[in-house]
C-alpha cells in the first residue's frame, strides 16, 4: 500500500446545505495521492458525520465526478447539494 | 461566438431589465419572435409555514462556465437563434419577485418557444445554484429542483 505514503493538498468547497453541515465554506485538506472520489467521500463523511444524511455530488475542478475517479493533485473539490436554480 | 453576458444579479431582477432588453432588440430587424421566461419566487407552504424569500448562492466559477456551455449548446441545437440573454439572481429574493430571466430571439416563433424551454430546463438541471427557502420565523429549508 505504498501509495498511501504520499500526500497532496486539495481545496475543498462546500455549498448550500453541505456548507451548513460542515459550518465551513472551504478548507484545505491533505489526502493521499491517488485518492479516489469514493475514498474521499468516505473520509469527508468521517470528518463531518452530519454529511451522512445529505444528498450531494462531488465535483472535481468544476466537473461532476464519477465513482472511483482518481483525484489529481492541486484540485478544487466541491461538494454540491441538489441544484435549486431558476 | 456570441458575446458572454454577465448572468448573475445581486438581489431580485427588476422588471425594467426586461423592458430594457426588449427595447435593445428593436434595431435587430431580422428577428421576428422573442420568447421570455421569468422565474418568480413562490410563497410555498411547507410544514405549515410560508416561504418569505429565497436566498440564492452559487459555485460561481462553475455556474458561469455552465451558463456559457448552455448558451453554446443552445446555439448549436437551434442554429437559427439570434440571441440568448440569461440573468439569474444571487442573494435574497422575496416572494413575488423575479429570480430568473431568460430571453431568446429568432426569426420565427417555433425556434424561440423551443429554445426558451431548453435553456430553462438546462439551467435547472446543470447550474450549481443553491436556494435557501426562508420562512417568516427565520427558519429555513433547502430548495431542491424537481
Amino acid at each position: 500500500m505504498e501509495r498511501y505514503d504520499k500526500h497532496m493538498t486539495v481545496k475543498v468547497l462546500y455549498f448550500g446545505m453541505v456548507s451548513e453541515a460542515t459550518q465551513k465554506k472551504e478548507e484545505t485538506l491533505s489526502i493521499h495521492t491517488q485518492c479516489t472520489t469514493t475514498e474521499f467521500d468516505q473520509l469527508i463523511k468521517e470528518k463531518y458525520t452530519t454529511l451522512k444524511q445529505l444528498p450531494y455530488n462531488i465535483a472535481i475542478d468544476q466537473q461532476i465526478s464519477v465513482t472511483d475517479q482518481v483525484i489529481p493533485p492541486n484540485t478544487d473539490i466541491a461538494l454540491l447539494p441538489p441544484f435549486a436554480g431558476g | 461566438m456570441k458575446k458572454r453576458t454577465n448572468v448573475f444579479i445581486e438581489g431580485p431582477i427588476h422588471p425594467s431589465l426586461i423592458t430594457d432588453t426588449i427595447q435593445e432588440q428593436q434595431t435587430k430587424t431580422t428577428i421576428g419572435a422573442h420568447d421570455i421566461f421569468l422565474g418568480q419566487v413562490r410563497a410555498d407552504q411547507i410544514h405549515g409555514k410560508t416561504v418569505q424569500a429565497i436566498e440564492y448562492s452559487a459555485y460561481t466559477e462553475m455556474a458561469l462556465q455552465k451558463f456559457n456551455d448552455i448558451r453554446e449548446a443552445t446555439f448549436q441545437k437551434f442554429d437559427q437563434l439570434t440571441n440568448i440573454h440569461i440573468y439569474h439572481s444571487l442573494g435574497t429574493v422575496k416572494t413575488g419577485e423575479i429570480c430568473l430571466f431568460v430571453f431568446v430571439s429568432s426569426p420565427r416563433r417555433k425556434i424561440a418557444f423551443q429554445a426558451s424551454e431548453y435553456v430553462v430546463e438546462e439551467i435547472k438541471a446543470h447550474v450549481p445554484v443553491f436556494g435557501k427557502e426562508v420562512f417568516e420565523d427565520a427558519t429555513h429549508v433547502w430548495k431542491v429542483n424537481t
Side-chain angles (χ1 to χ4, degrees), chain B residues 110-123:
Chain B
K110 284 188 181 169
I111 296 296
F113 288 143
Q114 290 167 14
S116 168
E117 181 173 9
Y118 177 77
V119 168
V120 173
E121 294 303 325
E122 288 292 295
I123 290 169

Side-chain angles (χ1 to χ4, degrees), chain B residues 91-108:
Chain B
T92 303
V93 183
K94 293 181 199 146
T95 53
E97 293 181 327
I98 303 298
C99 55
L100 173 64
F101 171 29
V102 172
F103 186 112
V104 298
S105 311
S106 65
R108 292 174 180 279

Side-chain angles (χ1 to χ4, degrees), chain B residues 53-112:
Chain B
I54 297 181
E55 283 177 32
Y56 287 103
S57 57
Y59 183 6
T60 309
E61 286 173 300
M62 180 175 166
L64 291 175
Q65 185 58 51
K66 289 287 174 192
F67 279 122
N68 210 42
D69 293 349
I70 291 167
R71 288 170 52 80
E72 286 186 21
T74 308
F75 279 123
Q76 289 264 325
K77 194 173 165 69
F78 305 99
D79 60 2
Q80 293 167 54
L81 212 59
T82 317
N83 277 322
I84 305 173
H85 293 83
I86 304 170
Y87 296 96
H88 197 297
S89 292
L90 284 180
T92 303
V93 183
K94 293 181 199 146
T95 53
E97 293 181 327
I98 303 298
C99 55
L100 173 64
F101 171 29
V102 172
F103 186 112
V104 298
S105 311
S106 65
R108 292 174 180 279
R109 70 186 181 284
K110 284 188 181 169
I111 296 296

